Amino acid sequence: MLSLLGFCMMISFLLLVLTKKLSPVVAFVFVAVAFAIIGGFSNEMGQLMMDGIIQVTPTAIMIVFAILYFGLMIDVGLFDPMISRILKYVKGDPLKIVIATALITMIVGLDGDGSSTFMITISAMLPLYKKLGMNRLILSCVVALAAGVMNMIPWGGPLVRAAASLNVEMSDLFIPLIPAMIGGLVWTFFSAYILGKKERERIGVIQIYTESFTEQSSTIEQKKTSPTLFWFNLLLTIALMIMLIMDVLPLQILFAIAFSIALFVNFRDPKAQQEQILSHANNFVLISTLIFAAGIFLGVLNGTQMMDAMAVSIVSIIPEGLGPYLPVLVAITSLPLVFVFPPDAYYFGILPIISETAANFGIDPVEIGRAALLGHSTTGFPLSPLVPATFILIGLSGVDFGEHQKFLFKWAFGTTIVMTIIAVLTGAIPFSENFQYFPTPMKLPPHHSVYS
């Protein structure tokens, strides 16, 4: 009975979101309340929901401070000199322009916001593509590939959702995937090289003057900062990246400390500090609200044992020999599923069920989470008609959505395959009970769980 109730709860949520009858936040809360009452858990409902909120609170805190930190760094122009120099270097060579497109997307993508990454990168590069008569499908493709891989960073939406839905540490998800992410970035440059070389063969190298880059550079350089502050911000960001990888402190604390230092040094006036925070409020309020609403939903689903019952039901129909291969199957199928499930529905509706099912075969939930990150909402999100940022990408690029999907899919799927292979070889996800390329899987630094 609990299993049936759980499946009905999940289906109700998915239908409400997919048919756009309700926003994900409202659907999470309404469905959780309704099924808690239907299942006879009304007396326990409040505590179950609070337990769920407490579990996802560290995730919400991290995303707030990460968005504020990288938003501040973009506002004060930390990345502007790098991007401007790249634009001046490429001149009229289509090959250099396509590779520069990938590089600039990766730099801008550090803020973890796909929409802003698309807007900044396309605004900077589109005039060049138009001037040289280059194929704008290449622009949308390369930006999508680079932004997709960068979307795996700990403060990006997919990893935040995966950590919240599976109740695992973000560092446990991310650190073992670093080699796979690097492999994805290398594949992106390889794809950009192939596409750029074809464009160079098609239209040749066109001589244009440095003045032609004034417009592109001006779209990037918005705010000036002193050389001293620039070097301070750069060193602070490098130190933050190193400490994040070393897991010196919980991610939430590292970002909170780094943002506080950066805000104080760059904006001494308390009023200016407040304005800086408010300027990025829209970015973090929506995702934080979503995470807390998901906590309410998952609190009911887990606390009532519906999730366990659903997993038992699924296990009973999965062939025993297939169980050990679930992580690889999840990785490979996660990209095609972007056409069916939006990120919220996949991570909060589908992934927990897969995770509980895999646990019955002795597979750690964190391994399922890593597998899901290799396709859905990373390399695949710029393909999905269910992700609003996709329409920003194609709208700014001026390409047809269907043509964009056909052009991008093979390259995006190639990214997922490359990252999956590397993840298997490094032990980030298991391929079978007995297969492992290295003697032991990648070890994580010891730390205390913020969820315990």
Side-chain angles (χ1 to χ4, degrees), residues 286-368:
L286 181 59
I287 188 66
S288 298
T289 305
L290 176 65
I291 295 299
F292 285 125
I296 291 174
F297 183 86
L298 295 170
V300 171
L301 200 62
N302 290 320
T304 59
Q305 306 300 313
M306 290 184 200
M307 187 71 75
D308 294 336
M310 293 162 66
V312 171
S313 299
I314 294 176
V315 167
S316 65
I317 61 173
I318 293 180
E320 188 173 345
L322 191 62
Y325 303 97
L326 272 178
V328 173
L329 291 174
V330 168
I332 294 174
T333 60
S334 60
L335 187 143
L337 287 176
V338 300
F339 297 102
V340 181
F341 299 109
D344 300 324
Y346 180 77
Y347 283 104
F348 295 114
I350 304 301
L351 191 58
I353 298 176
I354 299 175
S355 172
E356 289 292 330
T357 303
N360 288 274
F361 293 99
I363 299 171
D364 195 305
V366 76
E367 294 172 333
I368 294 295

Side-chain angles (χ1 to χ4, degrees), residues 72 229 232 257-269 273:
L72 184 152
L229 282 179
F232 173 83
I257 293 173
F259 172 68
S260 299
I261 294 172
L263 186 63
F264 173 75
V265 173
N266 288 275
F267 301 90
R268 294 299 180 90
D269 181 16
Q273 294 174 0

Side-chain angles (χ1 to χ4, degrees), residues 168-191:
V168 297
E169 286 276 9
M170 283 176 285
S171 58
D172 290 345
L173 283 172
F174 177 66
I175 294 177
L177 284 178
I178 290 176
M181 184 176 178
I182 293 173
L185 294 176
V186 171
W187 169 263
T188 298
F189 279 122
F190 170 76
S191 304

Side-chain angles (χ1 to χ4, degrees), residues 127-410:
L128 276 175
Y129 280 75
K130 285 182 175 180
K131 191 173 187 66
L132 272 66
M134 294 175 62
N135 185 355
R136 282 180 284 180
L137 284 171
I138 293 178
L139 172 62
S140 63
C141 173
V142 172
V143 170
L145 289 176
V149 179
M150 291 303 296
N151 214 21
M152 291 178 66
I153 54 181
W155 49 95
L159 199 139
V160 168
R161 290 180 175 96
S165 68
L166 298 178
N167 192 21
V168 297
E169 286 276 9
M170 283 176 285
S171 58
D172 290 345
L173 283 172
F174 177 66
I175 294 177
L177 284 178
I178 290 176
M181 184 176 178
I182 293 173
L185 294 176
V186 171
W187 169 263
T188 298
F189 279 122
F190 170 76
S191 304
Y193 175 82
I194 297 299
L195 293 170
K197 190 175 180 181
K198 289 181 178 179
E199 278 297 271
R200 178 196 271 176
E201 292 172 354
R202 185 177 71 87
I203 63 177
V205 178
I206 300 174
Q207 184 64 42
I208 53 179
Y209 298 99
T210 305
E211 289 76 9
S212 301
F213 295 92
T214 303
E215 181 183 352
Q216 291 94 304
S217 297
S218 65
T219 62
I220 295 296
E221 296 181 359
Q222 297 177 354
K223 294 186 179 181
K224 298 289 183 181
T225 186
S226 69
T228 302
L229 282 179
F230 172 82
W231 288 110
F232 173 83
N233 291 329
L234 179 61
L235 291 174
L236 178 63
T237 302
I238 293 172
L240 174 61
M241 294 297 103
I242 293 172
M243 287 189 286
L244 285 172
I245 293 173
M246 293 178 62
D247 205 19
V248 175
L249 290 170
L251 302 183
Q252 299 85 352
I253 304 303
L254 285 174
F255 272 113
I257 293 173
F259 172 68
S260 299
I261 294 172
L263 186 63
F264 173 75
V265 173
N266 288 275
F267 301 90
R268 294 299 180 90
D269 181 16
K271 184 177 180 181
Q273 294 174 0
Q274 188 72 14
E275 290 174 352
Q276 175 63 26
I277 294 173
L278 290 175
S279 68
H280 294 280
N282 287 339
N283 292 336
F284 67 73
V285 167
L286 181 59
I287 188 66
S288 298
T289 305
L290 176 65
I291 295 299
F292 285 125
I296 291 174
F297 183 86
L298 295 170
V300 171
L301 200 62
N302 290 320
T304 59
Q305 306 300 313
M306 290 184 200
M307 187 71 75
D308 294 336
M310 293 162 66
V312 171
S313 299
I314 294 176
V315 167
S316 65
I317 61 173
I318 293 180
E320 188 173 345
L322 191 62
Y325 303 97
L326 272 178
V328 173
L329 291 174
V330 168
I332 294 174
T333 60
S334 60
L335 187 143
L337 287 176
V338 300
F339 297 102
V340 181
F341 299 109
D344 300 324
Y346 180 77
Y347 283 104
F348 295 114
I350 304 301
L351 191 58
I353 298 176
I354 299 175
S355 172
E356 289 292 330
T357 303
N360 288 274
F361 293 99
I363 299 171
D364 195 305
V366 76
E367 294 172 333
I368 294 295
R370 293 174 197 149
L373 288 166
L374 297 174
H376 199 287
S377 299
T378 49
T379 55
F381 91 93
L383 281 163
S384 176
L386 306 173
V387 177
T390 302
F391 295 97
I392 295 177
L393 173 62
I394 63 171
L396 291 174
S397 302
V399 298
D400 177 75
F401 184 44
E403 292 296 323
H404 165 75
Q405 286 181 314
K406 287 190 290 184
F407 192 91
L408 172 61
F409 184 83
K410 60 180 178 294

